[in-house]
Amino acid sequence: MNGTAVRPVLASEWVKARSTLASMISLSVGVVVSFGLALASGYSIRVAIDRSSDAIRSDFHPIDAGFGGLLYGNVAFTVFAVLVVSSEYTSGTIRASLAAVPRRGLFYLCKLGMAGLVCLVVGGATVLGSFLVTQVALGPHGVDLNAPGAVRAVLGGLAYVTLLGVFAAAVAAVLRSTALSLGILIPFFFVVSPALWMIPATRSAARFLPDQAGMRAMEATVGPGELTQNQGLLVLLGWTVLAVAAGYWSVRRRDA
């Protein structure tokens, strides 16, 4: 797969994505929601600490608090990644796209590459911005990027957003439906997985779920029985590779 073949396909995928109104709206919403929740979260923690230090858990760390808004804003990045792949199957334009790019492997990998690049750029700005907004809102209780572990946590957040976006896009390639993909991923990421994490009996297994493992990459502290930053990233990477492989098989072997 040479660069002369990849570049025009990537460019065409970017044109498709930016011409889809829902995709652009989802990215904008993701940024706004992440920043808004970061501000609200940081300020509420600051008020709670100022009123009574007993109101904050003993294991509170300002770096760990820096990405609370991102976890909920990430739903918009998931929607974007799914739409990059599923919208063509839903609209029926996938046949024309495959006629224009008959090399299905190239077509699929460029779709995922474009989704990953956008999540990397926009998600990276959102991760850094959310962290800084939270620290400003925390006031004297916040830290800056020079604090030990801060840069590593921001980079972990960047990897989290990017890999989870690629994972979502790959799942959409398998399911081939916007409604089905979002109907599974959104409840799983934001209802089922957090619920399993909160239940002591299922927490040891839930730590290996892709979203829960990825969240560990953004934390400066490691709780009892939790994965470390590196372990969390490796687990999320493993899930992403499996999803990409399944999507590749689906695009190559199944009819459009």
Side-chain angles (χ1 to χ4, degrees):
M1 189 182 300
N2 57 59
T4 57
V6 171
R7 283 192 292 271
V9 180
L10 271 177
S12 68
E13 290 303 323
W14 168 238
V15 171
K16 293 176 192 175
R18 73 182 186 187
S19 62
T20 304
L21 182 60
S23 298
M24 295 298 100
I25 290 177
S26 67
L27 286 179
S28 302
V29 169
V31 175
V32 173
V33 168
S34 296
F35 286 178
L37 291 177
L39 180 63
S41 174
Y43 183 74
S44 63
I45 293 174
R46 175 181 179 178
V47 170
I49 294 176
D50 290 342
R51 287 179 177 175
S52 172
S53 59
D54 295 334
I56 301 300
R57 290 169 39 180
S58 59
D59 60 350
F60 166 76
H61 196 293
I63 292 178
D64 294 346
F67 305 102
L70 175 68
L71 299 180
Y72 294 97
N74 192 49
V75 63
F77 293 103
T78 300
V79 171
F80 167 79
V82 166
L83 286 174
V84 165
V85 176
S86 66
S87 59
E88 290 200 72
Y89 286 100
T90 302
S91 64
T93 57
I94 186 66
R95 295 180 181 85
S97 295
L98 289 176
V101 187
R103 294 171 59 187
R104 293 192 174 198
L106 172 64
F107 172 76
Y108 169 69
L109 293 177
C110 284
K111 266 195 177 298
L112 261 60
M114 195 281 296
L117 285 172
V118 172
C119 288
L120 178 68
V121 174
V122 180
T126 305
V127 169
L128 178 59
S130 296
F131 176 82
L132 295 177
V133 168
T134 302
Q135 303 311 319
V136 170
L138 284 171
H141 312 293
V143 297
D144 57 27
L145 284 172
N146 292 321
V151 172
R152 183 176 181 179
V154 169
L155 292 176
L158 175 58
Y160 168 80
V161 171
T162 304
L163 288 175
L164 213 58
V166 174
F167 175 85
V171 169
V174 175
L175 299 178
R176 300 185 168 202
S177 165
T178 301
L180 183 59
S181 299
L182 295 180
I184 291 175
L185 290 174
I186 298 302
F188 179 78
F189 284 158
F190 302 99
V191 179
V192 177
S193 179
L196 293 175
W197 178 257
M198 295 300 295
I199 300 173
T202 58
R203 189 167 191 171
S204 60
R207 62 180 178 165
F208 293 105
L209 296 175
D211 57 321
Q212 294 298 332
M215 289 179 192
R216 306 286 81 78
M218 298 180 283
E219 295 183 350
T221 58
V222 179
E226 292 184 1
L227 300 177
T228 65
Q229 286 182 316
N230 290 338
Q231 289 171 339
L233 275 179
L234 285 175
V235 170
L236 176 55
L237 179 61
W239 277 103
T240 304
V241 170
L242 287 175
V244 169
Y248 184 82
W249 177 89
S250 179
V251 172
R252 288 289 302 272
R253 301 298 181 183
R254 295 167 63 188
D255 292 334

